[in-house]
Amino acid sequence: MLSRLMSGSSRSLEREYSCTVRLLDDSEYTCTIQRDAKGQYLFDLLCHHLNLLEKDYFGIRFVDPDKQRHWLEFTKSVVKQLRSQPPFTMCFRVKFYPADPAALKEEITRYLVFLQIKRDLYHGRLLCKTSDAALLAAYILQAEIGDYDPGKHPEGYSSKFQFFPKHSEKLERKIAEIHKTELSGQTPATSELNFLRKAQTLETYGVDPHPCKDVSGNAAFLAFTPFGFVVLQGNKRVHFIKWNEVTKLKFEGKTFYLYVSQKEEKKIILTYFAPTPEACKHLWKCGIENQAFYNGRVAKEVMESSAKIKREPPEIHRAGMVPSRSCPSITHGPRLSSVPRTRRRAVHISIMEGLESLRDSAHSTPVRSSSHGDTFLPHVRSSRADSNERVAVIADEAYSPADSVLPTPVAEHSLELMLLSRQINGATCSIEEEKESEASTPTAAEVEALGGELRALCQGHSRPEEEQVNKFVLSVLRLLLVTMGLLFVLLLLLIILTESDLDIAFFRDIRQTPEFEQFHYQYFCPLRRWFACKIRSVVSLLIDT
């Protein structure tokens, strides 16, 4: 029996798992890994596939069965981290945005960062004015379709591509104008470099927002950038704290604490509440890793290491831009070309963290209306000032993973719905309706008779309902007791097998954990000594008698 268990364990160790990693251009890399393969092994496979040497800025992201995002840890087993059934799906993304992306050593690295920021622009994490948005989109157009050619690019050609969640005809014309007149002759590498230089100047460059609430219950987005910690609320950046001012990051349950020490020995503690304890832990972990990367010597050492790279520039296979009418997006995201023109009014850019996480988890989400109460949709706040530029703002609502940047159309029968709601809420009816209701109003005797019948009917139905409820409660209690008994038996069996000398990989891994060692020395050993003492005393009594 022992040999069978060991052979089964060895077979499970040799089992291969299929992994699919979505790259930044939305292509997919598929490979197989062993059960005990570490995250570093998979990451090295990806970097070799991409011919990437400046790899410290990148990471692999995945979503667990509870829809919580994580960064793959390189020192731990891939299979144990994912906690889902194979085949596994992950995403290759920029984890630490370079403080100066234009200073990256190799063009292949700049191209990958360009793809990430283009993705941020599309998903609404990179906020900008309309003029900046037009310039960034024109750089993308120049990098991916080249110089303007009247024979290939008819009037309105820029409207066939989606750079943002929403944009207006005026912005489309501005993008085409810049592409035609200002960027002619730029190579893809030059356009990408100019795009990176422009994006770097924006306040939300490198923002990977985490939805939270402040102590007053107001929605906020926390983010870590190359330059410090950022808190965004509504259309404002309410806090910006440099990395050297952050003294401590801490979390307890859903609560996240940021300890700040500013000039003149001024110390403050910022407190925020994440949606779940898992989200709070992820937020804290991201903060610790970002602070270590940017505030320590890591970022400087990475740049110094990149400067030592000496090789022939690798060939770059750029993904060409595909019109949104023949493809879901440029290279990513949902198709927006079917949205009516009248509703594509402005650069609709919002910090919607769920969009990227849902994209990474390969799940599409339905559009939900803001009339659902507990959901929301990001919106554009337009100003009536004399300035012609509209500033795209951050949505100031709470985060919901089922939301989308696509607006929900207004119901065509809104008048009927309004009338129905009035009736439900007890609003008065028309004069004719009131007359009809008066004519059909029963007398006092009729009301009393009806009331007696109703009470008798309710009493007759209450007894079987009570019996059904009692049966249901008893069945639930019985099921709960049986479940607890089974769990207790399984726990005892697990403890016995773990404390035994069986050399099986599963039990070997449990024995090596600090929690098991603490349980073994603090609880199991004293309990075993107590049982042995009792057994000896019973045996001695039996012998004496």
Side-chain angles (χ1 to χ4, degrees):
M1 182 177 178
L2 181 59
S3 62
R4 287 180 183 177
L5 290 172
M6 294 183 68
S7 62
S9 176
S10 62
R11 283 196 300 270
S12 66
L13 286 173
E14 294 172 359
R15 182 181 175 184
E16 292 185 341
Y17 295 85
S18 175
C19 291
T20 298
V21 183
R22 290 193 181 90
L23 306 179
L24 285 162
D25 61 356
D26 275 352
S27 63
E28 293 184 347
Y29 174 79
T30 303
C31 64
T32 56
I33 60 171
Q34 300 292 332
R35 181 180 182 275
D36 57 347
K38 299 293 191 293
Q40 186 68 54
Y41 172 76
L42 179 60
F43 184 69
D44 290 341
L45 280 180
L46 280 170
C47 292
H48 178 74
H49 171 73
L50 295 169
N51 209 351
L52 176 66
L53 293 183
E54 296 175 285
K55 59 180 75 171
D56 299 273
Y57 301 102
F58 302 88
I60 300 175
R61 173 172 275 165
F62 67 93
V63 181
D64 67 17
D66 297 325
K67 306 299 181 186
Q68 175 59 50
R69 299 194 315 164
H70 302 274
W71 288 104
L72 191 70
E73 295 187 42
F74 294 164
T75 58
K76 296 183 179 180
S77 166
V78 176
V79 176
K80 291 182 180 179
Q81 290 184 70
L82 264 62
R83 297 191 297 111
S84 59
Q85 295 297 322
F88 303 124
T89 303
M90 292 162 276
C91 293
F92 180 81
R93 296 290 182 261
V94 172
K95 184 176 183 180
F96 304 108
Y97 287 72
D100 184 6
L104 293 169
K105 175 73 172 181
E106 294 198 307
E107 184 182 343
I108 179 66
T109 316
R110 292 194 295 272
Y111 174 64
L112 292 175
V113 176
F114 162 77
L115 290 179
Q116 177 68 66
I117 300 176
K118 184 178 73 169
R119 194 179 214 48
D120 295 342
L121 189 67
Y122 179 85
H123 285 287
R125 289 185 296 275
L126 186 65
L127 308 185
C128 53
K129 298 178 181 178
T130 305
S131 57
D132 294 334
L135 181 58
L136 290 172
Y139 282 137
I140 296 173
L141 210 57
Q142 178 67 25
E144 300 197 7
I145 69 172
D147 292 342
Y148 169 72
D149 184 348
K152 296 180 180 178
H153 307 135
E155 186 70 23
Y157 69 99
S158 65
S159 64
K160 298 180 181 180
F161 307 101
Q162 286 295 152
F163 307 97
F164 318 101
K166 290 180 63 179
H167 48 84
S168 62
E169 293 182 13
K170 181 179 179 182
L171 179 58
E172 290 170 359
R173 290 194 297 268
K174 182 66 175 176
I175 293 169
E177 179 186 350
I178 296 174
H179 178 232
K180 292 177 184 177
T181 60
E182 299 181 21
L183 307 183
S184 180
Q186 288 191 11
T187 64
T190 303
S191 296
E192 290 162 5
L193 184 62
N194 291 331
F195 176 92
L196 293 175
R197 285 171 174 163
K198 182 62 182 176
Q200 177 200 352
T201 63
L202 302 176
E203 281 189 351
T204 49
Y205 165 73
V207 161
D208 184 18
H210 299 256
C212 291
K213 288 186 178 181
D214 62 14
V215 291
S216 301
N218 300 315
F221 292 95
L222 312 186
F224 310 103
T225 73
F227 314 105
F229 174 79
V230 177
V231 180
L232 305 161
Q233 281 186 324
N235 61 344
K236 297 179 181 179
R237 187 177 74 178
V238 295
H239 289 291
F240 171 69
I241 300 165
K242 298 179 181 179
W243 283 121
N244 57 7
E245 296 176 346
V246 177
T247 59
K248 184 180 179 181
L249 298 170
K250 176 184 171 184
F251 79 99
E252 292 178 356
K254 296 182 181 180
T255 310
F256 176 77
Y257 302 96
L258 182 79
Y259 294 78
V260 182
S261 179
Q262 295 180 331
K263 294 180 179 178
E264 300 177 357
E265 297 184 355
K266 181 182 178 182
K267 295 182 179 180
I268 59 175
I269 302 176
L270 300 178
T271 305
Y272 292 92
F273 304 97
T276 63
E278 292 76 16
C280 192
K281 183 178 180 180
H282 176 64
L283 170 64
W284 169 80
K285 197 170 185 179
C286 289
I288 292 294
E289 292 176 342
N290 276 270
Q291 186 181 29
F293 187 87
Y294 295 115
N295 198 32
R297 294 176 52 84
V298 179
K300 183 180 178 181
E301 290 172 355
V302 168
M303 292 298 293
E304 292 174 353
S305 177
S306 299
K308 298 176 183 178
I309 296 176
K310 294 181 181 179
R311 66 168 178 175
E312 289 294 323
E315 184 180 359
I316 300 176
H317 301 281
R318 288 178 167 84
M321 180 179 286
V322 180
S324 60
R325 291 176 184 172
S326 59
C327 182
S329 66
I330 297 174
T331 55
H332 53 269
R335 175 161 57 184
L336 299 179
S337 59
S338 60
V339 179
R341 289 277 186 187
T342 56
R343 287 170 44 222
R344 293 164 61 185
R345 296 279 173 84
V347 186
H348 183 89
I349 298 182
S350 63
I351 295 288
M352 293 301 299
E353 176 68 9
L355 295 176
E356 183 67 6
S357 66
L358 294 174
R359 177 65 183 166
D360 289 352
S361 61
H363 293 295
S364 61
T365 56
V367 179
R368 297 176 64 182
S369 171
S370 58
S371 62
H372 289 179
D374 59 337
T375 61
F376 66 91
L377 291 172
H379 59 277
V380 177
R381 299 181 179 178
S382 57
S383 174
R384 295 188 178 181
D386 295 334
S387 174
N388 293 327
E389 291 186 349
R390 297 181 183 179
V391 180
V393 300
I394 300 160
D396 56 354
E397 302 91 344
Y399 164 72
S400 173
D403 292 325
S404 167
V405 293
L406 291 173
T408 303
V410 177
E412 296 178 359
H413 306 290
S414 57
L415 182 59
E416 297 176 9
L417 294 174
M418 182 184 69
L419 292 174
L420 180 61
S421 64
R422 285 182 57 197
Q423 293 176 9
I424 293 174
N425 293 329
T428 58
C429 304
S430 62
I431 298 175
E432 289 77 9
E433 291 171 339
E434 289 181 1
K435 289 180 179 178
E436 291 176 2
S437 64
E438 289 175 1
S440 60
T441 302
T443 62
E446 292 174 345
V447 169
E448 186 177 356
L450 289 173
E453 292 177 2
L454 183 60
R455 283 192 295 271
L457 185 62
C458 291
Q459 289 174 359
H461 283 286
S462 62
R463 291 176 183 175
E465 288 178 359
E466 289 178 0
E467 292 177 358
Q468 291 179 0
V469 170
N470 292 335
K471 289 180 180 179
F472 176 73
V473 171
L474 288 174
S475 63
V476 170
L477 290 174
R478 198 177 296 115
L479 178 63
L480 185 62
L481 290 173
V482 171
T483 304
M484 292 178 63
L486 289 175
L487 289 175
F488 182 73
V489 172
L490 289 175
L491 179 61
L492 287 178
L493 182 61
L494 179 62
I495 292 173
I496 292 170
L497 292 175
T498 307
E499 293 288 348
S500 67
D501 296 330
L502 287 176
D503 190 15
I504 299 175
F506 174 72
F507 297 120
R508 206 164 47 236
D509 292 342
I510 295 178
R511 293 184 192 113
Q512 292 175 357
T513 60
E515 291 83 0
F516 176 78
E517 292 181 358
Q518 182 180 5
F519 169 79
H520 177 78
Y521 291 111
Q522 290 188 6
Y523 301 102
F524 183 79
C525 289
L527 187 63
R528 184 174 58 184
R529 287 193 296 269
W530 183 80
F531 271 113
C533 181
K534 290 296 181 182
I535 291 172
R536 282 195 299 268
S537 63
V538 171
V539 170
S540 62
L541 286 173
L542 291 175
I543 293 173
D544 292 340
T545 56

